Amino acid sequence: MTTMEALLYFAYGSNMSSRRLRQRVPSARVLDTAVLFGHRLVWHKKGTDGSGKCDIPVAGEDDVVYGVLYAIDPAHKPRLDRAEGLGVSYEQKYVALRRLGGGQPATALTYYAIRIDPAYVPYDWYRDHVLIGAREHGLPGRYIRRIESVPTREDADARRAHAERRVHWTGNW
C-alpha cells in the first residue's frame, strides 16, 4: 500500500495509541504527528459504556489539537467506522493538518462526536489510551500534561477495564 493509495486518518484520542488502532485496523501505519488548528480536545462524547470519550469541536483560532497521522488501507475503513460508531456516536469530516515532522500539509479523515454531554467523564483506562498514544508519538509536554490532568473515574466493569489495559501489555512483566 503506497501513501497515494492509502486513506489518511487523523487520530487525536485513544487511536493515537498504535497498539489500540492496529487492534482495530491492522493496516494502520504511522506517517507523522500533526496539529489541527482552531479545534480543542474535550472529553464530552457520550460513550456507549456510560463514560466520556474524546471529541474535537471547532474552537478559537489559538486552540490546537495534536494527534497522529496514519495511513490505512481503504478496504479497512469499514472496520474503523464500526469501531468509532459512525452515524451513531461520531460523524466524519476531512481536516487540514500541519505535519510536525516538516512534511507537506495533509488533509485527513477524522471523526467528531454527535452525541455529547459535558457531564460525562472518561474512565481511567480510556484516558490512559490517549496518554500512551501521546507519549508514544512524542507530543508536546504541555499537551501531555493537559491530558494527564483530565479527571477520570474507575470503570465498575473490572473485566472491561482489564481487557482495555491489556492492549498495551508487552508480555515483559
Side-chain angles (χ1 to χ4, degrees), residues 8-12 34-37 39 56 58 65 68-69 92-98 105-112:
L8 299 183
Y9 166 58
F10 179 64
Y12 58 83
V35 62
L36 172 63
F37 293 96
H39 291 71
I56 52 167
V58 174
V65 174
V68 181
L69 182 62
Q92 62 185 14
K93 66 180 179 177
Y94 284 85
V95 292
L97 304 167
R98 187 184 68 159
T107 299
L109 170 80
T110 198
Y111 297 86
Y112 64 94

Side-chain angles (χ1 to χ4, degrees), residues 85-105:
L86 182 63
V88 177
S89 300
Y90 286 104
E91 283 298 335
Q92 62 185 14
K93 66 180 179 177
Y94 284 85
V95 292
L97 304 167
R98 187 184 68 159
R99 294 172 72 149
L100 296 177
Q104 292 292 317

Side-chain angles (χ1 to χ4, degrees), residues 43 127 131 142-152:
W43 306 71
R127 195 241 358 238
L131 263 176
R142 72 179 182 284
Y143 195 75
I144 290 172
R145 287 188 293 280
R146 278 187 36 217
I147 295 168
E148 288 171 337
S149 72
V150 170
T152 64

Side-chain angles (χ1 to χ4, degrees), residues 18-39:
S18 296
R19 284 180 184 255
R20 180 164 171 84
L21 182 58
R22 286 190 188 117
Q23 184 180 55
R24 296 169 163 189
V25 183
S27 65
R29 185 171 45 90
V30 174
L31 296 178
D32 205 346
T33 52
V35 62
L36 172 63
F37 293 96
H39 291 71

